[in-house]
Each structure stands twice: as structure tokens, then as C-alpha cells.
Amino acid sequence: MRASNHLIGLLNFLTFLLSIVILGGGIWLSSRANNTDCLKFLQWPLIVIGASIMVVSLAGFAGACYRNTFLMWLYLFVMFFIIGALVGFIIFAYAVTDKGSGRPVTNKGYLEYYLQDYSGWLRDRVVDEKYWAKISSCIRDSKVCSKMGRNFNGVPETYDMFSLRKLSPIESGCCKPPTDCGYTYVNETLWNPGGGLVGTDLDCSRWSNDQQQLCYQCDSCKAGVLGSLKKSWRKVSVINIVVLILLVIFYVIGCAAFRNNKRIDNDEPYGEARMTKAQPSRIQL
């Protein structure tokens, strides 16, 4: 019996450790929101869920170790809603990042990103002028494009070398013109119009060699942000699914421990139902 409660205490300690993993995922998303993805509200639900699990797991740990029925009841009651919130967050994360991905380009190592490939709530959020002004400013301030430059033994990167690079979605969408536009490569963020006509894509006319402008107002840049968000959220969601499975297992065991504590409080011997105890067998003469 004591060993059973110690086991539950250990499981709640492990739940506490899992909360650190969830918090870590939220903090990682927050760091990317400040430096890369630049969408700063998506990480907060995950941080709140992680912090809640941390606090509740401590209550469950105390309840299991000291056989405190109220703390165990509080742990099970609150954890039920936390698990529900985590399930909702995972479903939401997959739903809003379900559509859209980069398109391969012939003889290129990077992908091209098109806004029309994305749809739904997250796309509407990103393309909103008010939010995009903040997002584009964040991308500019992060200097992600200026960090693209490479030199090999003092020699700048050639076009053939650049073409083989695995660019991030934001580097591909915001720091260079779309490949279809036919611009001529000078360096990673400097492209001149080619000898022929510029492509019909509206982004072709939006490109600027001004290092403060580049393609920050291009649809390809917005698509690149969406592509980057999808990659980040999918990575975190995989971890969250594993954590969710473990939480459900711990929750079921916690329910068993709660019933065990109630039985002890009612002085019921193990394996003997209350009905049996209330109705003792008759003494036969």
C-alpha cells in the first residue's frame, strides 16, 4: 500500500519533469518568435499548459506521498482539464499548419514558397496588414538575410554554390526574388533584372535591392513565414504527443491511487467491497 503511493509519487515527479519538456518547447517557440518565426502569440498556450502541469504535478506528488485525499482529488480534477487543453492545442496546431509546403525547383537545393498554397486561420493572421507590419519588422531586425552571406577563402559564394544551398523558408521567401522572375545573381541579397522580361508574378516587381526592403513585402515572404511556422509547430507537436500519452498513463494510475486512498480512509480491507462489509454474514446455529 505504501509502495503503491510511493509509485504514484514517483510518477508525479516524472510528470513534473514532463512539464519541463513542455515549457522548454514553449520557450523554444518563444525564442524563434523573437528571432526567426516572428509570430509572438503562438507559444503562450504551450507555456501556460506546461506551467499548469508543473504546479498540479507537485500537488499530486504531495497527495500521493502523504495520502492526502483532497490533494489527490484536486490533482485528478485539474489534470483532466489540462490534458483536454493539451489535446486541443495539438489538434489546433496540426489544423492550422495542415496545408502548404515548399515547392521544389529544378536544379536548386532550396524550395520556393507560394502564398496560394496556404489557407486557413494562420494564413489570414499572417497576411493581415497590421500583423504583417510587425512580422516584417521583426524579420528585418533579426538580420536573417544579412547573415546569409558566405565566403570561401575570401571569395564570395558563386551562383552555382548558392543554388545548392538548403535555405530556410524565410531565407528563400524574403531574402531573394522568386526564381521565376529571372533576376541575375550578384550576391545572396543583391539581384539585378535579367536580360529578358521580368516574370509575371507580382513579387517580381516587389523585389528591391535596398537591404531594408528586399522581398519583405512579397507574398513569397509571407509564405516563407508560414512554412517556417509549420516546421516549428510540427516539431513541438511530436514532442507534445509523446508527453500526452505519458500523461494519460500517469492519470489512469493516479485514478487508481485515489481509489486506494479512499478505501484506506474508509477502513476497507483490500479486495473487500463496502457492501460486503456493511452486511456481515449470518451466524448459523
Side-chain angles (χ1 to χ4, degrees):
M1 194 176 302
R2 181 177 298 176
S4 174
N5 282 284
H6 286 173
L7 173 61
I8 303 305
L10 174 61
L11 292 177
N12 278 280
F13 177 71
L14 295 177
T15 303
F16 176 83
L17 296 180
L18 290 178
S19 70
I20 297 177
V21 175
I22 296 178
L23 275 175
I27 293 172
W28 180 73
L29 284 177
S30 180
S31 67
R32 289 185 65 83
N34 292 327
N35 300 310
T36 306
D37 295 336
C38 289
L39 209 56
K40 300 183 179 182
F41 64 92
L42 300 174
Q43 72 276 9
W44 290 114
L46 198 59
I47 292 176
V48 170
I49 291 173
S52 301
I53 293 175
M54 180 177 290
V55 173
V56 173
S57 64
L58 291 175
F61 179 82
C65 290
Y66 296 101
R67 292 197 288 120
N68 187 307
T69 303
F70 173 76
L71 286 178
M72 283 297 298
W73 178 87
L74 180 65
Y75 161 76
L76 294 174
F77 180 78
V78 178
M79 186 60 75
F80 175 81
F81 291 100
I82 291 177
I83 291 175
L86 185 57
V87 171
F89 180 82
I90 292 172
I91 294 174
F92 173 76
Y94 272 93
V96 299
T97 59
D98 179 52
K99 296 182 179 180
S101 60
R103 299 184 190 179
V105 183
T106 304
N107 298 324
K108 299 290 188 293
Y110 53 79
L111 303 176
E112 293 279 3
Y113 294 83
Y114 297 87
L115 190 59
Q116 59 265 32
D117 292 343
Y118 297 85
S119 62
W121 174 84
L122 190 59
R123 177 189 185 277
D124 296 338
R125 187 88 171 183
V126 169
V127 301
D128 182 271
E129 291 185 4
K130 180 179 66 174
Y131 284 105
W132 183 248
K134 297 178 181 178
I135 294 171
S136 60
S137 176
C138 171
I139 295 173
R140 186 182 301 108
D141 293 341
S142 70
K143 302 186 184 302
V144 61
C145 294
S146 62
K147 296 175 183 177
M148 289 177 59
R150 288 184 178 179
N151 289 285
F152 298 91
N153 297 323
V155 179
E157 183 177 43
T158 66
Y159 175 69
D160 290 338
M161 297 168 66
F162 177 79
S163 297
L164 297 177
R165 286 179 61 174
K166 303 288 185 182
L167 302 179
S168 71
I170 290 180
E171 288 175 339
S172 177
C174 304
C175 304
K176 66 172 189 60
T179 303
D180 293 341
C181 294
Y183 279 83
T184 301
Y185 175 87
V186 178
N187 61 39
E188 292 83 357
T189 59
L190 188 64
W191 299 71
N192 292 329
L197 296 176
V198 175
T200 57
D201 191 330
L202 290 177
D203 284 350
C204 297
S205 59
R206 292 168 179 158
W207 167 260
S208 171
N209 280 329
D210 182 346
Q211 298 300 297
Q212 296 299 312
Q213 297 296 324
L214 298 179
C215 219
Y216 295 140
Q217 299 305 316
C218 298
D219 287 345
S220 63
C221 188
K222 299 172 183 177
V225 170
L226 290 168
S228 182
L229 284 170
K230 180 175 182 177
K231 291 176 65 176
S232 300
W233 275 41
R234 288 298 171 91
K235 289 178 181 179
V236 173
S237 292
V238 170
I239 298 175
N240 287 343
I241 289 173
V242 175
V243 170
L244 175 63
I245 294 172
L246 294 175
L247 283 178
V248 170
I249 294 173
F250 296 166
Y251 183 80
V252 171
I253 298 176
C255 289
F258 179 69
R259 293 181 60 184
N260 182 54
N261 285 340
K262 286 190 65 178
R263 179 177 55 77
I264 294 174
D265 292 341
N266 294 329
D267 296 324
E268 295 178 8
Y270 182 79
E272 185 176 354
R274 176 177 291 182
M275 186 69 69
T276 303
K277 183 184 175 187
Q279 298 179 358
S281 59
R282 296 179 181 178
I283 300 176
Q284 296 182 359
L285 299 177

PDB file of all heavy atoms in Angstrom, residues 266-269 271-282:
ATOM      1  N   ASN A 266     -11.731   4.869   4.436  1.00  0.00           N
ATOM      2  CA  ASN A 266     -12.956   4.227   4.886  1.00  0.00           C
ATOM      3  C   ASN A 266     -12.698   2.918   5.623  1.00  0.00           C
ATOM      4  O   ASN A 266     -13.639   2.183   5.926  1.00  0.00           O
ATOM      5  CB  ASN A 266     -13.874   3.957   3.685  1.00  0.00           C
ATOM      6  CG  ASN A 266     -14.382   5.236   3.049  1.00  0.00           C
ATOM      7  OD1 ASN A 266     -14.569   6.243   3.737  1.00  0.00           O
ATOM      8  ND2 ASN A 266     -14.583   5.217   1.742  1.00  0.00           N
ATOM      9  N   ASP A 267     -11.424   2.632   5.874  1.00  0.00           N
ATOM     10  CA  ASP A 267     -11.030   1.408   6.594  1.00  0.00           C
ATOM     11  C   ASP A 267     -11.558   0.150   5.921  1.00  0.00           C
ATOM     12  O   ASP A 267     -12.005  -0.793   6.577  1.00  0.00           O
ATOM     13  CB  ASP A 267     -11.533   1.444   8.042  1.00  0.00           C
ATOM     14  CG  ASP A 267     -10.879   2.574   8.820  1.00  0.00           C
ATOM     15  OD1 ASP A 267      -9.684   2.834   8.567  1.00  0.00           O
ATOM     16  OD2 ASP A 267     -11.558   3.168   9.656  1.00  0.00           O
ATOM     17  N   GLU A 268     -11.524   0.131   4.580  1.00  0.00           N
ATOM     18  CA  GLU A 268     -11.985  -1.043   3.847  1.00  0.00           C
ATOM     19  C   GLU A 268     -10.791  -1.935   3.552  1.00  0.00           C
ATOM     20  O   GLU A 268      -9.827  -1.495   2.926  1.00  0.00           O
ATOM     21  CB  GLU A 268     -12.649  -0.638   2.525  1.00  0.00           C
ATOM     22  CG  GLU A 268     -13.923   0.168   2.711  1.00  0.00           C
ATOM     23  CD  GLU A 268     -14.514   0.576   1.362  1.00  0.00           C
ATOM     24  OE1 GLU A 268     -13.994   0.079   0.340  1.00  0.00           O
ATOM     25  OE2 GLU A 268     -15.459   1.372   1.347  1.00  0.00           O
ATOM     26  N   PRO A 269     -10.811  -3.195   3.965  1.00  0.00           N
ATOM     27  CA  PRO A 269      -9.736  -4.118   3.625  1.00  0.00           C
ATOM     28  C   PRO A 269      -9.632  -4.266   2.122  1.00  0.00           C
ATOM     29  O   PRO A 269     -10.610  -4.145   1.389  1.00  0.00           O
ATOM     30  CB  PRO A 269     -10.157  -5.437   4.294  1.00  0.00           C
ATOM     31  CG  PRO A 269     -11.145  -5.044   5.330  1.00  0.00           C
ATOM     32  CD  PRO A 269     -11.851  -3.837   4.815  1.00  0.00           C
ATOM     33  N   GLY A 271      -9.686  -5.573  -1.427  1.00  0.00           N
ATOM     34  CA  GLY A 271     -10.434  -6.615  -2.115  1.00  0.00           C
ATOM     35  C   GLY A 271     -11.801  -6.859  -1.516  1.00  0.00           C
ATOM     36  O   GLY A 271     -12.555  -7.692  -2.000  1.00  0.00           O
ATOM     37  N   GLU A 272     -12.189  -6.120  -0.464  1.00  0.00           N
ATOM     38  CA  GLU A 272     -13.487  -6.329   0.161  1.00  0.00           C
ATOM     39  C   GLU A 272     -14.374  -5.139  -0.125  1.00  0.00           C
ATOM     40  O   GLU A 272     -14.033  -3.997   0.183  1.00  0.00           O
ATOM     41  CB  GLU A 272     -13.327  -6.502   1.667  1.00  0.00           C
ATOM     42  CG  GLU A 272     -14.640  -6.850   2.381  1.00  0.00           C
ATOM     43  CD  GLU A 272     -14.412  -7.101   3.860  1.00  0.00           C
ATOM     44  OE1 GLU A 272     -13.245  -7.107   4.269  1.00  0.00           O
ATOM     45  OE2 GLU A 272     -15.394  -7.276   4.578  1.00  0.00           O
ATOM     46  N   ALA A 273     -15.491  -5.356  -0.714  1.00  0.00           N
ATOM     47  CA  ALA A 273     -16.377  -4.277  -1.092  1.00  0.00           C
ATOM     48  C   ALA A 273     -17.069  -3.721   0.138  1.00  0.00           C
ATOM     49  O   ALA A 273     -17.253  -4.420   1.129  1.00  0.00           O
ATOM     50  CB  ALA A 273     -17.425  -4.776  -2.102  1.00  0.00           C
ATOM     51  N   ARG A 274     -17.487  -2.462   0.031  1.00  0.00           N
ATOM     52  CA  ARG A 274     -18.163  -1.836   1.148  1.00  0.00           C
ATOM     53  C   ARG A 274     -19.487  -2.547   1.447  1.00  0.00           C
ATOM     54  O   ARG A 274     -19.890  -2.680   2.597  1.00  0.00           O
ATOM     55  CB  ARG A 274     -18.410  -0.360   0.829  1.00  0.00           C
ATOM     56  CG  ARG A 274     -19.199   0.357   1.924  1.00  0.00           C
ATOM     57  CD  ARG A 274     -19.374   1.821   1.618  1.00  0.00           C
ATOM     58  NE  ARG A 274     -18.110   2.522   1.699  1.00  0.00           N
ATOM     59  CZ  ARG A 274     -18.005   3.841   1.504  1.00  0.00           C
ATOM     60  NH1 ARG A 274     -19.062   4.551   1.194  1.00  0.00           N
ATOM     61  NH2 ARG A 274     -16.826   4.429   1.605  1.00  0.00           N
ATOM     62  N   MET A 275     -20.188  -3.018   0.432  1.00  0.00           N
ATOM     63  CA  MET A 275     -21.448  -3.708   0.624  1.00  0.00           C
ATOM     64  C   MET A 275     -21.251  -4.966   1.451  1.00  0.00           C
ATOM     65  O   MET A 275     -22.036  -5.291   2.334  1.00  0.00           O
ATOM     66  CB  MET A 275     -22.059  -4.070  -0.744  1.00  0.00           C
ATOM     67  CG  MET A 275     -23.455  -4.674  -0.642  1.00  0.00           C
ATOM     68  SD  MET A 275     -24.685  -3.464  -0.088  1.00  0.00           S
ATOM     69  CE  MET A 275     -24.731  -2.418  -1.520  1.00  0.00           C
ATOM     70  N   THR A 276     -20.162  -5.669   1.185  1.00  0.00           N
ATOM     71  CA  THR A 276     -19.881  -6.887   1.937  1.00  0.00           C
ATOM     72  C   THR A 276     -19.594  -6.560   3.382  1.00  0.00           C
ATOM     73  O   THR A 276     -20.018  -7.245   4.304  1.00  0.00           O
ATOM     74  CB  THR A 276     -18.666  -7.614   1.325  1.00  0.00           C
ATOM     75  OG1 THR A 276     -18.936  -7.874  -0.034  1.00  0.00           O
ATOM     76  CG2 THR A 276     -18.405  -8.903   2.047  1.00  0.00           C
ATOM     77  N   LYS A 277     -18.864  -5.460   3.608  1.00  0.00           N
ATOM     78  CA  LYS A 277     -18.529  -5.077   4.954  1.00  0.00           C
ATOM     79  C   LYS A 277     -19.771  -4.633   5.734  1.00  0.00           C
ATOM     80  O   LYS A 277     -19.917  -4.879   6.928  1.00  0.00           O
ATOM     81  CB  LYS A 277     -17.496  -3.950   4.928  1.00  0.00           C
ATOM     82  CG  LYS A 277     -17.020  -3.529   6.306  1.00  0.00           C
ATOM     83  CD  LYS A 277     -16.086  -2.368   6.162  1.00  0.00           C
ATOM     84  CE  LYS A 277     -15.694  -1.854   7.552  1.00  0.00           C
ATOM     85  NZ  LYS A 277     -14.915  -0.616   7.458  1.00  0.00           N
ATOM     86  N   ALA A 278     -20.695  -3.978   5.057  1.00  0.00           N
ATOM     87  CA  ALA A 278     -21.870  -3.449   5.715  1.00  0.00           C
ATOM     88  C   ALA A 278     -22.869  -4.541   6.078  1.00  0.00           C
ATOM     89  O   ALA A 278     -23.728  -4.365   6.930  1.00  0.00           O
ATOM     90  CB  ALA A 278     -22.551  -2.401   4.840  1.00  0.00           C
ATOM     91  N   GLN A 279     -22.775  -5.672   5.374  1.00  0.00           N
ATOM     92  CA  GLN A 279     -23.693  -6.767   5.618  1.00  0.00           C
ATOM     93  C   GLN A 279     -22.907  -7.999   5.988  1.00  0.00           C
ATOM     94  O   GLN A 279     -22.625  -8.858   5.152  1.00  0.00           O
ATOM     95  CB  GLN A 279     -24.560  -7.032   4.382  1.00  0.00           C
ATOM     96  CG  GLN A 279     -25.442  -5.837   3.997  1.00  0.00           C
ATOM     97  CD  GLN A 279     -26.273  -6.133   2.754  1.00  0.00           C
ATOM     98  OE1 GLN A 279     -26.152  -7.209   2.182  1.00  0.00           O
ATOM     99  NE2 GLN A 279     -27.127  -5.197   2.382  1.00  0.00           N
ATOM    100  N   PRO A 280     -22.551  -8.151   7.297  1.00  0.00           N
ATOM    101  CA  PRO A 280     -21.769  -9.337   7.703  1.00  0.00           C
ATOM    102  C   PRO A 280     -22.612 -10.592   7.561  1.00  0.00           C
ATOM    103  O   PRO A 280     -23.831 -10.571   7.628  1.00  0.00           O
ATOM    104  CB  PRO A 280     -21.449  -9.033   9.170  1.00  0.00           C
ATOM    105  CG  PRO A 280     -22.487  -8.066   9.609  1.00  0.00           C
ATOM    106  CD  PRO A 280     -22.828  -7.246   8.420  1.00  0.00           C
ATOM    107  N   SER A 281     -21.896 -11.663   7.302  1.00  0.00           N
ATOM    108  CA  SER A 281     -22.594 -12.948   7.106  1.00  0.00           C
ATOM    109  C   SER A 281     -23.283 -13.378   8.396  1.00  0.00           C
ATOM    110  O   SER A 281     -22.824 -13.116   9.507  1.00  0.00           O
ATOM    111  CB  SER A 281     -21.570 -14.014   6.677  1.00  0.00           C
ATOM    112  OG  SER A 281     -20.573 -14.144   7.644  1.00  0.00           O
ATOM    113  N   ARG A 282     -24.435 -14.048   8.217  1.00  0.00           N
ATOM    114  CA  ARG A 282     -25.197 -14.519   9.370  1.00  0.00           C
ATOM    115  C   ARG A 282     -24.507 -15.709  10.036  1.00  0.00           C
ATOM    116  O   ARG A 282     -23.889 -16.537   9.394  1.00  0.00           O
ATOM    117  CB  ARG A 282     -26.599 -14.932   8.925  1.00  0.00           C
ATOM    118  CG  ARG A 282     -27.425 -13.771   8.365  1.00  0.00           C
ATOM    119  CD  ARG A 282     -28.778 -14.283   7.946  1.00  0.00           C
ATOM    120  NE  ARG A 282     -29.592 -13.182   7.389  1.00  0.00           N
ATOM    121  CZ  ARG A 282     -30.811 -13.350   6.904  1.00  0.00           C
ATOM    122  NH1 ARG A 282     -31.367 -14.570   6.893  1.00  0.00           N
ATOM    123  NH2 ARG A 282     -31.469 -12.328   6.434  1.00  0.00           N
TER     124      ARG A 282
END
